[in-house]
Amino acid sequence: KAGVTQTPRYLIKTRGQQVTLSCSPISGHRSVSWYQQTPGQGLQFLFEYFSETQRNKGNFPGRFSGRQFSNSRSEMNVSTLELGDSALYLCASSLGLSRDNNEQYFGPGTRLTVT
Amino acid sequence: GDSVTQMEGPVTLSEEAFLTINCTYTATGYPSLFWYVQYPGEGLQLLLKATKADDKGSNKGFEATYRKETTSFHLEKGSVQVSDSAVYFCALSSNFGNEKLTFGTGTRLTIIP
């Protein structure tokens, strides 16, 4: 079974621009979560989608948004990029159906650099 | 709120040494507990999990036991290899329906031959 895939793997953007990252979950997984990883703040939860609905949201400004499509693929968007948005953005998928199978499987990440 | 405290790294060990990485947590209810590993330039890989008190998760020679009385989930391995060099993250998920993972700061492990 194919794992979680993320595109693109690397991205360089300029301050003020916007960016869209894509995530394809493991087949059959309906929950997709997004995390930001930085050396200073570590791994922080952005949001989670389940069956096209945002189910949970972390403490990030409104510039960070996401969506999920009917095939469970997800995108996240960051508008008006700031230097501090430079990070590794990780997507994770899970079945999201019960406590006994709630483990999340991560993609390789998208490395975003804002200059 | 939920939080995970992990032992500070970096940790350097010789091959075949015994490994312990401490992890304690604070959470409401009965969280699920996880250990993830991250190799250079890669995403996180699930190493093991436990969903209730006294459960022992195990994989690839690594073990961790869910201790509710001490709110701990320490990672252990009896004999480490050079290939175990990576960053290890302890994490929790509060309850079903809340897929948010709360991570510790990570422990960098280096194994020298």
Side-chain angles (χ1 to χ4, degrees):
Chain A
K1 190 183 271 192
V4 178
T5 58
Q6 292 186 246
T7 56
R9 291 293 311 277
Y10 302 92
L11 208 49
I12 300 175
K13 290 287 189 179
T14 304
R15 269 181 302 175
Q17 289 185 315
Q18 75 164 15
V19 67
T20 298
L21 312 182
S22 181
C23 171
S24 293
I26 291 171
S27 177
H29 285 191
R30 294 164 63 185
S31 169
V32 174
S33 299
W34 290 88
Y35 296 83
Q36 182 196 64
Q37 185 177 25
T38 60
Q41 299 299 316
L43 281 152
Q44 294 186 288
F45 172 78
L46 281 154
F47 29 67
E48 182 231 351
Y49 287 86
F50 181 81
S51 292
E52 302 179 66
T53 300
Q54 187 180 84
R55 192 160 66 169
N56 294 291
K57 188 177 188 302
N59 296 323
F60 278 80
R63 301 185 296 106
F64 292 81
S65 63
R67 59 178 175 167
Q68 186 180 34
F69 303 95
S70 58
N71 61 358
S72 293
R73 190 177 69 85
S74 177
E75 290 181 347
M76 68 163 279
N77 184 277
V78 188
S79 62
T80 319
L81 284 166
E82 301 177 359
L83 293 179
D85 297 334
S86 295
L88 181 66
Y89 290 88
L90 293 164
C91 165
S93 75
S94 71
L95 286 169
L97 294 175
S98 77
R99 183 181 178 85
D100 290 330
N101 55 22
N102 62 348
E103 56 267 32
Q104 295 184 35
Y105 296 89
F106 283 79
T110 294
R111 171 74 62 185
L112 172 65
T113 301
V114 181
T115 62
Chain B
D2 298 342
S3 68
V4 175
T5 302
Q6 241 180 283
M7 84 187 259
E8 291 287 331
V11 173
T12 302
L13 295 172
S14 297
E15 206 166 19
E16 299 184 5
F18 184 86
L19 169 70
T20 300
I21 301 178
N22 291 337
C23 170
T24 57
Y25 67 89
T26 302
T28 53
Y30 301 93
S32 296
L33 302 175
F34 307 87
W35 277 100
Y36 281 87
V37 58
Q38 187 174 35
Y39 297 99
E42 298 184 12
L44 276 69
Q45 295 180 24
L46 177 65
L47 185 58
L48 51 84
K49 66 174 273 192
T51 58
K52 59 184 186 297
D54 300 325
D55 263 3
K56 178 186 283 189
S58 61
N59 186 25
K60 298 181 182 179
F62 291 90
E63 292 183 340
T65 301
Y66 190 143
R67 301 287 188 199
K68 189 170 183 300
E69 64 276 13
T70 54
T71 61
S72 65
F73 193 54
H74 304 321
L75 182 68
E76 297 182 335
K77 186 175 185 183
S79 176
V80 292
Q81 306 300 313
V82 172
S83 58
D84 294 327
S85 298
V87 181
Y88 292 81
F89 293 91
C90 184
L92 70 82
S93 174
S94 281
N95 47 55
F96 168 61
N98 181 355
E99 300 297 320
K100 170 188 173 182
L101 283 170
T102 299
F103 286 92
T105 53
T107 301
R108 181 175 300 277
L109 173 67
T110 301
I111 308 300
I112 52 177

